[in-house]
Amino acid sequence: MQIECFRLIDRIIALDLAAKTIRVEANVPTESTIFEGHFPGHPLMPGVLLLETMAQASGWLVIGATKFTCMPFFAAVKEGKFRSFVTPGMALIANAALEHEGSGFAVTRAEIHCDDKLICDATLTFRLVPFPSPDFRDSMEKFASSIAFPMELARHD
Amino acid sequence: MPETFETVANIISETCDIARDKIKPESHAINDLGIDSLDFLDIAFAIDKTFGIKMPLEQWTQEVNEGRATSEQYFVLQNLSSRIDELVAAKKA
């Protein structure tokens, strides 16, 4: 994770478009300024960042499912539950499944595990919007490549 | 269509916490019921799942924005129910 620049996914382990699922690695850093305040002497990964981790995993799934034609923007969360504390250095696995791809929106079900223990889960909704600019898309493709996104899915006419 | 309207009205009532008796066939989802675009995504999700369709919201919105259709054609509930019936029929065909 690069928490300070909000890049929370380290690597895409598997992206299965037939099953409409994704599995990613998200390793919590051992040190971060965030832990100085959350909380002093008792560092915990903030729940909002766990939620964002599930959103980013879901986002890469949606980008894959839509063949890199649009950008998913986080729009709503339902049934979000934080079941266990996450501390610095923990190796997280986030899974997401595409529950529905509608017209201009998508709904996913996501969860995070650590050592097979369920950490949190939620149902997430995204608005799907055309990439605002070619440069934006290029930057997303570069980042996708850096986290082992299967780039053959990014090819477009 | 009456059955479709009933289903849609119930979805709207549950999703947006609007009293069921305020939701009429002639109600405009946005102008009369005050449903915003985010809540409408929830409604669209429930309608898509319930009827096994994919409502072409992007196409409808584009048609309205370009003046090729009125919002009443798609967002007055009796008209929305008719569109849903058409989509269900097209899927079965």
Side-chain angles (χ1 to χ4, degrees):
Chain A
M1 281 182 187
Q2 299 171 270
I3 289 183
E4 279 70 17
C5 61
F6 235 55
R7 291 185 167 180
L8 303 179
I9 305 302
D10 290 312
R11 186 173 72 93
I12 294 173
I13 302 168
L15 174 57
D16 185 339
L17 293 185
K20 298 180 180 177
T21 60
I22 194 169
R23 183 176 180 83
V24 307
E25 280 180 358
N27 298 308
V28 181
T30 54
E31 293 183 7
S32 167
T33 53
I34 284 175
F35 298 134
E36 294 174 12
H38 196 278
F39 296 96
H42 189 71
L44 292 176
M45 179 75 165
V48 290
L49 291 179
L50 294 171
L51 183 59
E52 176 66 19
T53 301
M54 291 190 285
Q56 291 190 12
S58 297
W60 288 115
L61 171 60
V62 172
I63 284 174
T66 56
K67 303 284 191 288
F68 239 106
T69 57
C70 58
M71 181 70 190
F73 288 99
F74 198 8
V77 56
K78 284 183 184 170
E79 300 291 327
K81 293 182 178 174
F82 304 98
R83 301 169 187 277
S84 299
F85 290 132
V86 173
T87 54
M90 285 176 68
L92 306 179
I93 298 292
N95 295 303
L98 186 58
E99 192 167 328
H100 183 64
E101 185 185 341
S103 174
F105 72 99
V107 179
T108 69
R109 184 75 194 155
E111 57 189 31
I112 291 176
H113 292 261
C114 183
D115 295 332
D116 293 330
K117 182 178 182 181
L118 182 60
I119 299 291
C120 57
D121 54 297
T123 298
L124 311 175
T125 301
F126 298 83
R127 291 183 194 274
L128 309 186
V129 178
F131 282 97
S133 69
D135 286 348
F136 184 96
R137 181 188 160 123
D138 287 347
S139 68
M140 288 299 294
E141 287 192 7
K142 283 176 185 162
F143 182 46
S145 180
S146 74
I147 60 170
F149 182 93
M151 293 308 294
E152 63 272 19
L153 299 179
R155 294 199 179 111
H156 51 98
D157 298 328
Chain B
M1 200 281 279
E3 288 180 10
T4 304
F5 167 75
E6 285 300 320
T7 303
V8 170
N10 289 335
I11 287 171
I12 291 173
S13 178
E14 290 171 16
T15 304
C16 300
D17 199 21
I18 297 172
R20 174 63 187 81
D21 60 3
K22 289 187 178 176
I23 303 171
K24 311 284 190 192
E26 61 273 21
S27 300
H28 189 296
I30 301 161
N31 299 342
D32 295 327
L33 300 178
I35 297 169
D36 68 17
S37 63
L38 184 57
D39 281 336
F40 204 82
L41 290 188
D42 277 342
I43 293 167
F45 176 46
I47 289 174
D48 282 1
K49 297 285 271 189
T50 300
F51 292 96
I53 57 174
K54 181 174 176 176
M55 283 197 299
L57 292 178
E58 291 173 299
Q59 178 193 322
W60 292 353
T61 303
Q62 186 174 357
E63 288 177 13
V64 171
N65 289 343
E66 293 176 354
R68 291 186 287 119
T70 64
S71 68
E72 286 77 9
Q73 285 176 252
Y74 297 123
F75 298 108
V76 167
L77 299 188
Q78 60 192 358
N79 298 336
L80 176 63
S81 299
S82 296
R83 300 289 87 75
I84 292 169
D85 286 342
E86 291 168 3
L87 291 164
V88 171
K91 191 179 178 189
K92 288 178 180 171

mmCIF file of all heavy atoms in Angstrom, chain B residues 23-68:
data_model
loop_
_atom_site.group_PDB
_atom_site.id
_atom_site.type_symbol
_atom_site.label_atom_id
_atom_site.label_comp_id
_atom_site.label_asym_id
_atom_site.label_seq_id
_atom_site.Cartn_x
_atom_site.Cartn_y
_atom_site.Cartn_z
ATOM 1 N N ILE B 23 -47.197 7.272 -4.122
ATOM 2 C CA ILE B 23 -46.597 6.894 -5.407
ATOM 3 C C ILE B 23 -47.720 6.464 -6.348
ATOM 4 O O ILE B 23 -48.365 5.433 -6.138
ATOM 5 C CB ILE B 23 -45.579 5.750 -5.211
ATOM 6 C CG1 ILE B 23 -44.509 6.175 -4.195
ATOM 7 C CG2 ILE B 23 -44.946 5.373 -6.537
ATOM 8 C CD1 ILE B 23 -43.588 5.041 -3.765
ATOM 9 N N LYS B 24 -47.955 7.290 -7.360
ATOM 10 C CA LYS B 24 -49.074 7.075 -8.294
ATOM 11 C C LYS B 24 -48.519 6.769 -9.688
ATOM 12 O O LYS B 24 -47.377 7.131 -10.008
ATOM 13 C CB LYS B 24 -49.935 8.335 -8.387
ATOM 14 C CG LYS B 24 -50.328 8.931 -7.052
ATOM 15 C CD LYS B 24 -51.420 8.138 -6.388
ATOM 16 C CE LYS B 24 -51.962 8.877 -5.169
ATOM 17 N NZ LYS B 24 -52.818 8.003 -4.353
ATOM 18 N N PRO B 25 -49.350 6.156 -10.526
ATOM 19 C CA PRO B 25 -48.890 5.907 -11.908
ATOM 20 C C PRO B 25 -48.466 7.187 -12.622
ATOM 21 O O PRO B 25 -47.546 7.170 -13.440
ATOM 22 C CB PRO B 25 -50.115 5.267 -12.577
ATOM 23 C CG PRO B 25 -50.874 4.643 -11.453
ATOM 24 C CD PRO B 25 -50.678 5.553 -10.284
ATOM 25 N N GLU B 26 -49.135 8.295 -12.286
ATOM 26 C CA GLU B 26 -48.814 9.554 -12.972
ATOM 27 C C GLU B 26 -47.673 10.322 -12.289
ATOM 28 O O GLU B 26 -47.299 11.405 -12.748
ATOM 29 C CB GLU B 26 -50.064 10.441 -13.071
ATOM 30 C CG GLU B 26 -50.673 10.845 -11.747
ATOM 31 C CD GLU B 26 -51.687 9.835 -11.198
ATOM 32 O OE1 GLU B 26 -51.627 8.657 -11.620
ATOM 33 O OE2 GLU B 26 -52.502 10.219 -10.343
ATOM 34 N N SER B 27 -47.103 9.765 -11.224
ATOM 35 C CA SER B 27 -45.992 10.444 -10.528
ATOM 36 C C SER B 27 -44.731 10.440 -11.394
ATOM 37 O O SER B 27 -44.369 9.418 -11.984
ATOM 38 C CB SER B 27 -45.663 9.735 -9.211
ATOM 39 O OG SER B 27 -46.765 9.725 -8.344
ATOM 40 N N HIS B 28 -44.067 11.596 -11.405
ATOM 41 C CA HIS B 28 -42.756 11.700 -12.055
ATOM 42 C C HIS B 28 -41.718 11.398 -10.970
ATOM 43 O O HIS B 28 -41.714 12.044 -9.908
ATOM 44 C CB HIS B 28 -42.571 13.112 -12.606
ATOM 45 C CG HIS B 28 -41.361 13.273 -13.489
ATOM 46 N ND1 HIS B 28 -40.078 13.123 -13.027
ATOM 47 C CD2 HIS B 28 -41.247 13.565 -14.816
ATOM 48 C CE1 HIS B 28 -39.221 13.331 -14.014
ATOM 49 N NE2 HIS B 28 -39.911 13.605 -15.127
ATOM 50 N N ALA B 29 -40.862 10.423 -11.245
ATOM 51 C CA ALA B 29 -39.925 9.960 -10.216
ATOM 52 C C ALA B 29 -39.078 11.102 -9.659
ATOM 53 O O ALA B 29 -38.805 11.147 -8.451
ATOM 54 C CB ALA B 29 -39.017 8.868 -10.783
ATOM 55 N N ILE B 30 -38.663 12.000 -10.511
ATOM 56 C CA ILE B 30 -37.766 13.080 -10.082
ATOM 57 C C ILE B 30 -38.559 14.310 -9.635
ATOM 58 O O ILE B 30 -38.394 14.801 -8.526
ATOM 59 C CB ILE B 30 -36.800 13.446 -11.235
ATOM 60 C CG1 ILE B 30 -35.989 12.210 -11.631
ATOM 61 C CG2 ILE B 30 -35.892 14.606 -10.838
ATOM 62 C CD1 ILE B 30 -35.349 12.286 -13.001
ATOM 63 N N ASN B 31 -39.447 14.775 -10.514
ATOM 64 C CA ASN B 31 -40.136 16.040 -10.236
ATOM 65 C C ASN B 31 -41.179 15.931 -9.128
ATOM 66 O O ASN B 31 -41.356 16.875 -8.345
ATOM 67 C CB ASN B 31 -40.808 16.551 -11.514
ATOM 68 C CG ASN B 31 -39.802 16.819 -12.616
ATOM 69 O OD1 ASN B 31 -38.611 16.954 -12.348
ATOM 70 N ND2 ASN B 31 -40.267 16.869 -13.849
ATOM 71 N N ASP B 32 -41.867 14.793 -9.052
ATOM 72 C CA ASP B 32 -42.934 14.657 -8.050
ATOM 73 C C ASP B 32 -42.455 13.951 -6.784
ATOM 74 O O ASP B 32 -42.867 14.314 -5.684
ATOM 75 C CB ASP B 32 -44.118 13.865 -8.637
ATOM 76 C CG ASP B 32 -44.781 14.606 -9.790
ATOM 77 O OD1 ASP B 32 -44.801 15.849 -9.754
ATOM 78 O OD2 ASP B 32 -45.269 13.936 -10.721
ATOM 79 N N LEU B 33 -41.631 12.943 -6.953
ATOM 80 C CA LEU B 33 -41.223 12.147 -5.792
ATOM 81 C C LEU B 33 -39.884 12.591 -5.226
ATOM 82 O O LEU B 33 -39.474 12.151 -4.146
ATOM 83 C CB LEU B 33 -41.160 10.659 -6.172
ATOM 84 C CG LEU B 33 -42.493 10.065 -6.669
ATOM 85 C CD1 LEU B 33 -42.310 8.594 -7.055
ATOM 86 C CD2 LEU B 33 -43.583 10.192 -5.609
ATOM 87 N N GLY B 34 -39.173 13.459 -5.954
ATOM 88 C CA GLY B 34 -37.913 14.011 -5.438
ATOM 89 C C GLY B 34 -36.772 13.019 -5.369
ATOM 90 O O GLY B 34 -35.841 13.176 -4.568
ATOM 91 N N ILE B 35 -36.839 11.993 -6.202
ATOM 92 C CA ILE B 35 -35.773 10.986 -6.191
ATOM 93 C C ILE B 35 -34.553 11.560 -6.899
ATOM 94 O O ILE B 35 -34.649 12.042 -8.033
ATOM 95 C CB ILE B 35 -36.261 9.699 -6.893
ATOM 96 C CG1 ILE B 35 -37.443 9.112 -6.117
ATOM 97 C CG2 ILE B 35 -35.127 8.688 -7.021
ATOM 98 C CD1 ILE B 35 -38.164 8.011 -6.857
ATOM 99 N N ASP B 36 -33.387 11.499 -6.243
ATOM 100 C CA ASP B 36 -32.176 12.024 -6.884
ATOM 101 C C ASP B 36 -31.463 10.910 -7.656
ATOM 102 O O ASP B 36 -31.863 9.739 -7.612
ATOM 103 C CB ASP B 36 -31.255 12.718 -5.876
ATOM 104 C CG ASP B 36 -30.641 11.766 -4.874
ATOM 105 O OD1 ASP B 36 -30.646 10.533 -5.107
ATOM 106 O OD2 ASP B 36 -30.138 12.253 -3.844
ATOM 107 N N SER B 37 -30.421 11.307 -8.352
ATOM 108 C CA SER B 37 -29.782 10.356 -9.280
ATOM 109 C C SER B 37 -29.152 9.174 -8.540
ATOM 110 O O SER B 37 -29.139 8.049 -9.052
ATOM 111 C CB SER B 37 -28.738 11.069 -10.133
ATOM 112 O OG SER B 37 -27.697 11.585 -9.311
ATOM 113 N N LEU B 38 -28.645 9.421 -7.333
ATOM 114 C CA LEU B 38 -28.024 8.318 -6.593
ATOM 115 C C LEU B 38 -29.087 7.324 -6.126
ATOM 116 O O LEU B 38 -28.910 6.109 -6.249
ATOM 117 C CB LEU B 38 -27.225 8.862 -5.405
ATOM 118 C CG LEU B 38 -26.451 7.828 -4.601
ATOM 119 C CD1 LEU B 38 -25.488 7.046 -5.497
ATOM 120 C CD2 LEU B 38 -25.688 8.482 -3.463
ATOM 121 N N ASP B 39 -30.186 7.845 -5.598
ATOM 122 C CA ASP B 39 -31.268 6.938 -5.202
ATOM 123 C C ASP B 39 -31.819 6.194 -6.416
ATOM 124 O O ASP B 39 -32.246 5.039 -6.312
ATOM 125 C CB ASP B 39 -32.384 7.714 -4.495
ATOM 126 C CG ASP B 39 -32.049 8.019 -3.045
ATOM 127 O OD1 ASP B 39 -31.228 7.281 -2.464
ATOM 128 O OD2 ASP B 39 -32.586 8.994 -2.499
ATOM 129 N N PHE B 40 -31.814 6.877 -7.563
ATOM 130 C CA PHE B 40 -32.342 6.202 -8.750
ATOM 131 C C PHE B 40 -31.453 5.027 -9.160
ATOM 132 O O PHE B 40 -31.936 4.058 -9.741
ATOM 133 C CB PHE B 40 -32.526 7.183 -9.916
ATOM 134 C CG PHE B 40 -33.554 6.692 -10.899
ATOM 135 C CD1 PHE B 40 -34.909 6.888 -10.668
ATOM 136 C CD2 PHE B 40 -33.181 5.979 -12.030
ATOM 137 C CE1 PHE B 40 -35.870 6.400 -11.539
ATOM 138 C CE2 PHE B 40 -34.130 5.487 -12.909
ATOM 139 C CZ PHE B 40 -35.477 5.698 -12.663
ATOM 140 N N LEU B 41 -30.153 5.102 -8.836
ATOM 141 C CA LEU B 41 -29.283 3.951 -9.110
ATOM 142 C C LEU B 41 -29.736 2.736 -8.303
ATOM 143 O O LEU B 41 -29.744 1.606 -8.799
ATOM 144 C CB LEU B 41 -27.827 4.273 -8.775
ATOM 145 C CG LEU B 41 -27.088 5.260 -9.666
ATOM 146 C CD1 LEU B 41 -25.610 5.286 -9.288
ATOM 147 C CD2 LEU B 41 -27.256 4.917 -11.129
ATOM 148 N N ASP B 42 -30.102 2.977 -7.044
ATOM 149 C CA ASP B 42 -30.606 1.868 -6.213
ATOM 150 C C ASP B 42 -31.892 1.303 -6.800
ATOM 151 O O ASP B 42 -32.103 0.088 -6.809
ATOM 152 C CB ASP B 42 -30.882 2.370 -4.779
ATOM 153 C CG ASP B 42 -29.634 2.408 -3.921
ATOM 154 O OD1 ASP B 42 -28.652 1.747 -4.287
ATOM 155 O OD2 ASP B 42 -29.657 3.090 -2.887
ATOM 156 N N ILE B 43 -32.746 2.203 -7.251
ATOM 157 C CA ILE B 43 -34.012 1.755 -7.848
ATOM 158 C C ILE B 43 -33.742 0.968 -9.131
ATOM 159 O O ILE B 43 -34.318 -0.104 -9.358
ATOM 160 C CB ILE B 43 -34.913 2.982 -8.135
ATOM 161 C CG1 ILE B 43 -35.354 3.612 -6.814
ATOM 162 C CG2 ILE B 43 -36.120 2.593 -8.980
ATOM 163 C CD1 ILE B 43 -35.976 4.982 -6.968
ATOM 164 N N ALA B 44 -32.835 1.491 -9.944
ATOM 165 C CA ALA B 44 -32.497 0.792 -11.195
ATOM 166 C C ALA B 44 -31.917 -0.589 -10.903
ATOM 167 O O ALA B 44 -32.242 -1.572 -11.594
ATOM 168 C CB ALA B 44 -31.500 1.631 -12.004
ATOM 169 N N PHE B 45 -31.062 -0.658 -9.897
ATOM 170 C CA PHE B 45 -30.481 -1.952 -9.508
ATOM 171 C C PHE B 45 -31.591 -2.932 -9.132
ATOM 172 O O PHE B 45 -31.622 -4.076 -9.616
ATOM 173 C CB PHE B 45 -29.519 -1.729 -8.339
ATOM 174 C CG PHE B 45 -28.918 -2.990 -7.773
ATOM 175 C CD1 PHE B 45 -28.397 -3.971 -8.591
ATOM 176 C CD2 PHE B 45 -28.864 -3.173 -6.397
ATOM 177 C CE1 PHE B 45 -27.828 -5.131 -8.056
ATOM 178 C CE2 PHE B 45 -28.300 -4.322 -5.853
ATOM 179 C CZ PHE B 45 -27.803 -5.312 -6.694
ATOM 180 N N ALA B 46 -32.529 -2.482 -8.301
ATOM 181 C CA ALA B 46 -33.614 -3.367 -7.857
ATOM 182 C C ALA B 46 -34.516 -3.763 -9.031
ATOM 183 O O ALA B 46 -34.935 -4.927 -9.140
ATOM 184 C CB ALA B 46 -34.421 -2.678 -6.762
ATOM 185 N N ILE B 47 -34.806 -2.813 -9.903
ATOM 186 C CA ILE B 47 -35.654 -3.125 -11.069
ATOM 187 C C ILE B 47 -34.941 -4.109 -11.993
ATOM 188 O O ILE B 47 -35.525 -5.099 -12.450
ATOM 189 C CB ILE B 47 -36.033 -1.825 -11.818
ATOM 190 C CG1 ILE B 47 -37.034 -1.014 -10.986
ATOM 191 C CG2 ILE B 47 -36.616 -2.143 -13.207
ATOM 192 C CD1 ILE B 47 -37.367 0.349 -11.577
ATOM 193 N N ASP B 48 -33.668 -3.835 -12.277
ATOM 194 C CA ASP B 48 -32.897 -4.745 -13.145
ATOM 195 C C ASP B 48 -32.918 -6.169 -12.582
ATOM 196 O O ASP B 48 -33.146 -7.143 -13.316
ATOM 197 C CB ASP B 48 -31.439 -4.272 -13.261
ATOM 198 C CG ASP B 48 -31.256 -3.100 -14.212
ATOM 199 O OD1 ASP B 48 -32.256 -2.619 -14.777
ATOM 200 O OD2 ASP B 48 -30.098 -2.657 -14.380
ATOM 201 N N LYS B 49 -32.671 -6.280 -11.286
ATOM 202 C CA LYS B 49 -32.604 -7.613 -10.673
ATOM 203 C C LYS B 49 -33.983 -8.276 -10.642
ATOM 204 O O LYS B 49 -34.113 -9.470 -10.910
ATOM 205 C CB LYS B 49 -32.051 -7.505 -9.237
ATOM 206 C CG LYS B 49 -30.632 -6.988 -9.149
ATOM 207 C CD LYS B 49 -29.609 -8.021 -9.566
ATOM 208 C CE LYS B 49 -29.194 -8.862 -8.382
ATOM 209 N NZ LYS B 49 -28.048 -9.741 -8.719
ATOM 210 N N THR B 50 -34.996 -7.501 -10.320
ATOM 211 C CA THR B 50 -36.340 -8.071 -10.190
ATOM 212 C C THR B 50 -36.872 -8.562 -11.533
ATOM 213 O O THR B 50 -37.465 -9.652 -11.614
ATOM 214 C CB THR B 50 -37.305 -7.014 -9.606
ATOM 215 O OG1 THR B 50 -36.827 -6.620 -8.318
ATOM 216 C CG2 THR B 50 -38.719 -7.586 -9.473
ATOM 217 N N PHE B 51 -36.642 -7.774 -12.580
ATOM 218 C CA PHE B 51 -37.219 -8.113 -13.889
ATOM 219 C C PHE B 51 -36.224 -8.821 -14.813
ATOM 220 O O PHE B 51 -36.590 -9.229 -15.913
ATOM 221 C CB PHE B 51 -37.752 -6.844 -14.566
ATOM 222 C CG PHE B 51 -38.949 -6.249 -13.880
ATOM 223 C CD1 PHE B 51 -38.807 -5.212 -12.964
ATOM 224 C CD2 PHE B 51 -40.230 -6.739 -14.123
ATOM 225 C CE1 PHE B 51 -39.906 -4.664 -12.317
ATOM 226 C CE2 PHE B 51 -41.338 -6.193 -13.486
ATOM 227 C CZ PHE B 51 -41.177 -5.160 -12.570
ATOM 228 N N GLY B 52 -34.975 -8.946 -14.365
ATOM 229 C CA GLY B 52 -33.984 -9.620 -15.202
ATOM 230 C C GLY B 52 -33.644 -8.854 -16.467
ATOM 231 O O GLY B 52 -33.445 -9.432 -17.542
ATOM 232 N N ILE B 53 -33.594 -7.534 -16.345
ATOM 233 C CA ILE B 53 -33.318 -6.695 -17.516
ATOM 234 C C ILE B 53 -32.160 -5.741 -17.194
ATOM 235 O O ILE B 53 -31.635 -5.752 -16.073
ATOM 236 C CB ILE B 53 -34.557 -5.853 -17.904
ATOM 237 C CG1 ILE B 53 -34.995 -4.982 -16.704
ATOM 238 C CG2 ILE B 53 -35.687 -6.771 -18.358
ATOM 239 C CD1 ILE B 53 -36.124 -4.016 -17.026
ATOM 240 N N LYS B 54 -31.779 -4.953 -18.179
ATOM 241 C CA LYS B 54 -30.818 -3.873 -17.969
ATOM 242 C C LYS B 54 -31.440 -2.610 -18.548
ATOM 243 O O LYS B 54 -31.426 -2.412 -19.764
ATOM 244 C CB LYS B 54 -29.481 -4.201 -18.644
ATOM 245 C CG LYS B 54 -28.411 -3.139 -18.461
ATOM 246 C CD LYS B 54 -27.078 -3.617 -19.039
ATOM 247 C CE LYS B 54 -26.016 -2.564 -18.977
ATOM 248 N NZ LYS B 54 -24.692 -3.044 -19.436
ATOM 249 N N MET B 55 -32.021 -1.807 -17.681
ATOM 250 C CA MET B 55 -32.637 -0.569 -18.161
ATOM 251 C C MET B 55 -31.575 0.329 -18.782
ATOM 252 O O MET B 55 -30.556 0.606 -18.131
ATOM 253 C CB MET B 55 -33.312 0.183 -17.011
ATOM 254 C CG MET B 55 -34.629 -0.398 -16.583
ATOM 255 S SD MET B 55 -35.577 0.801 -15.604
ATOM 256 C CE MET B 55 -34.481 1.052 -14.217
ATOM 257 N N PRO B 56 -31.798 0.795 -19.998
ATOM 258 C CA PRO B 56 -30.771 1.621 -20.669
ATOM 259 C C PRO B 56 -30.789 3.071 -20.193
ATOM 260 O O PRO B 56 -31.104 3.992 -20.947
ATOM 261 C CB PRO B 56 -31.160 1.496 -22.148
ATOM 262 C CG PRO B 56 -32.632 1.302 -22.128
ATOM 263 C CD PRO B 56 -32.956 0.533 -20.871
ATOM 264 N N LEU B 57 -30.428 3.264 -18.951
ATOM 265 C CA LEU B 57 -30.517 4.608 -18.362
ATOM 266 C C LEU B 57 -29.655 5.625 -19.093
ATOM 267 O O LEU B 57 -30.044 6.782 -19.253
ATOM 268 C CB LEU B 57 -30.095 4.555 -16.892
ATOM 269 C CG LEU B 57 -31.021 3.816 -15.932
ATOM 270 C CD1 LEU B 57 -30.429 3.830 -14.526
ATOM 271 C CD2 LEU B 57 -32.398 4.432 -15.940
ATOM 272 N N GLU B 58 -28.461 5.186 -19.499
ATOM 273 C CA GLU B 58 -27.571 6.129 -20.194
ATOM 274 C C GLU B 58 -28.198 6.604 -21.503
ATOM 275 O O GLU B 58 -28.146 7.784 -21.840
ATOM 276 C CB GLU B 58 -26.227 5.464 -20.466
ATOM 277 C CG GLU B 58 -25.418 5.208 -19.199
ATOM 278 C CD GLU B 58 -24.165 4.392 -19.501
ATOM 279 O OE1 GLU B 58 -24.297 3.260 -19.978
ATOM 280 O OE2 GLU B 58 -23.075 4.894 -19.247
ATOM 281 N N GLN B 59 -28.797 5.666 -22.227
ATOM 282 C CA GLN B 59 -29.447 6.025 -23.500
ATOM 283 C C GLN B 59 -30.626 6.955 -23.258
ATOM 284 O O GLN B 59 -30.786 7.968 -23.949
ATOM 285 C CB GLN B 59 -29.921 4.744 -24.191
ATOM 286 C CG GLN B 59 -30.657 4.989 -25.504
ATOM 287 C CD GLN B 59 -31.370 3.730 -25.978
ATOM 288 O OE1 GLN B 59 -30.855 2.629 -25.828
ATOM 289 N NE2 GLN B 59 -32.555 3.897 -26.540
ATOM 290 N N TRP B 60 -31.438 6.636 -22.254
ATOM 291 C CA TRP B 60 -32.592 7.480 -21.960
ATOM 292 C C TRP B 60 -32.151 8.887 -21.576
ATOM 293 O O TRP B 60 -32.721 9.880 -22.031
ATOM 294 C CB TRP B 60 -33.415 6.868 -20.814
ATOM 295 C CG TRP B 60 -34.095 5.580 -21.163
ATOM 296 C CD1 TRP B 60 -34.167 4.996 -22.399
ATOM 297 C CD2 TRP B 60 -34.789 4.701 -20.256
ATOM 298 N NE1 TRP B 60 -34.868 3.811 -22.316
ATOM 299 C CE2 TRP B 60 -35.265 3.604 -21.023
ATOM 300 C CE3 TRP B 60 -35.048 4.735 -18.896
ATOM 301 C CZ2 TRP B 60 -35.990 2.560 -20.447
ATOM 302 C CZ3 TRP B 60 -35.775 3.701 -18.327
ATOM 303 C CH2 TRP B 60 -36.239 2.626 -19.089
ATOM 304 N N THR B 61 -31.137 8.960 -20.719
ATOM 305 C CA THR B 61 -30.663 10.266 -20.269
ATOM 306 C C THR B 61 -30.126 11.085 -21.431
ATOM 307 O O THR B 61 -30.387 12.289 -21.547
ATOM 308 C CB THR B 61 -29.560 10.082 -19.206
ATOM 309 O OG1 THR B 61 -30.081 9.301 -18.131
ATOM 310 C CG2 THR B 61 -29.077 11.421 -18.670
ATOM 311 N N GLN B 62 -29.408 10.405 -22.326
ATOM 312 C CA GLN B 62 -28.865 11.100 -23.489
ATOM 313 C C GLN B 62 -29.991 11.623 -24.381
ATOM 314 O O GLN B 62 -29.932 12.756 -24.868
ATOM 315 C CB GLN B 62 -27.966 10.142 -24.277
ATOM 316 C CG GLN B 62 -27.235 10.827 -25.424
ATOM 317 C CD GLN B 62 -26.230 9.899 -26.102
ATOM 318 O OE1 GLN B 62 -26.038 8.760 -25.694
ATOM 319 N NE2 GLN B 62 -25.601 10.406 -27.143
ATOM 320 N N GLU B 63 -31.019 10.796 -24.573
ATOM 321 C CA GLU B 63 -32.147 11.227 -25.408
ATOM 322 C C GLU B 63 -32.839 12.453 -24.812
ATOM 323 O O GLU B 63 -33.205 13.382 -25.538
ATOM 324 C CB GLU B 63 -33.153 10.086 -25.557
ATOM 325 C CG GLU B 63 -32.659 8.957 -26.445
ATOM 326 C CD GLU B 63 -33.667 7.812 -26.513
ATOM 327 O OE1 GLU B 63 -34.813 7.998 -26.095
ATOM 328 O OE2 GLU B 63 -33.280 6.727 -26.987
ATOM 329 N N VAL B 64 -32.989 12.453 -23.488
ATOM 330 C CA VAL B 64 -33.627 13.596 -22.822
ATOM 331 C C VAL B 64 -32.731 14.830 -22.940
ATOM 332 O O VAL B 64 -33.195 15.921 -23.281
ATOM 333 C CB VAL B 64 -33.924 13.265 -21.341
ATOM 334 C CG1 VAL B 64 -34.372 14.526 -20.594
ATOM 335 C CG2 VAL B 64 -34.985 12.176 -21.249
ATOM 336 N N ASN B 65 -31.438 14.640 -22.684
ATOM 337 C CA ASN B 65 -30.516 15.782 -22.734
ATOM 338 C C ASN B 65 -30.417 16.386 -24.131
ATOM 339 O O ASN B 65 -30.199 17.587 -24.284
ATOM 340 C CB ASN B 65 -29.120 15.352 -22.260
ATOM 341 C CG ASN B 65 -29.085 15.083 -20.766
ATOM 342 O OD1 ASN B 65 -29.975 15.510 -20.026
ATOM 343 N ND2 ASN B 65 -28.066 14.364 -20.310
ATOM 344 N N GLU B 66 -30.571 15.550 -25.138
ATOM 345 C CA GLU B 66 -30.468 16.033 -26.521
ATOM 346 C C GLU B 66 -31.814 16.487 -27.066
ATOM 347 O O GLU B 66 -31.913 16.852 -28.246
ATOM 348 C CB GLU B 66 -29.871 14.937 -27.409
ATOM 349 C CG GLU B 66 -28.417 14.620 -27.065
ATOM 350 C CD GLU B 66 -27.853 13.466 -27.878
ATOM 351 O OE1 GLU B 66 -28.637 12.829 -28.628
ATOM 352 O OE2 GLU B 66 -26.652 13.197 -27.750
ATOM 353 N N GLY B 67 -32.860 16.429 -26.257
ATOM 354 C CA GLY B 67 -34.169 16.894 -26.687
ATOM 355 C C GLY B 67 -34.910 15.931 -27.591
ATOM 356 O O GLY B 67 -35.917 16.287 -28.210
ATOM 357 N N ARG B 68 -34.410 14.684 -27.682
ATOM 358 C CA ARG B 68 -35.075 13.702 -28.550
ATOM 359 C C ARG B 68 -36.185 12.960 -27.807
ATOM 360 O O ARG B 68 -36.918 12.188 -28.399
ATOM 361 C CB ARG B 68 -34.041 12.719 -29.105
ATOM 362 C CG ARG B 68 -33.089 13.375 -30.097
ATOM 363 C CD ARG B 68 -32.150 12.380 -30.749
ATOM 364 N NE ARG B 68 -31.120 11.913 -29.841
ATOM 365 C CZ ARG B 68 -30.963 10.647 -29.482
ATOM 366 N NH1 ARG B 68 -31.770 9.710 -29.951
ATOM 367 N NH2 ARG B 68 -29.977 10.299 -28.660
#
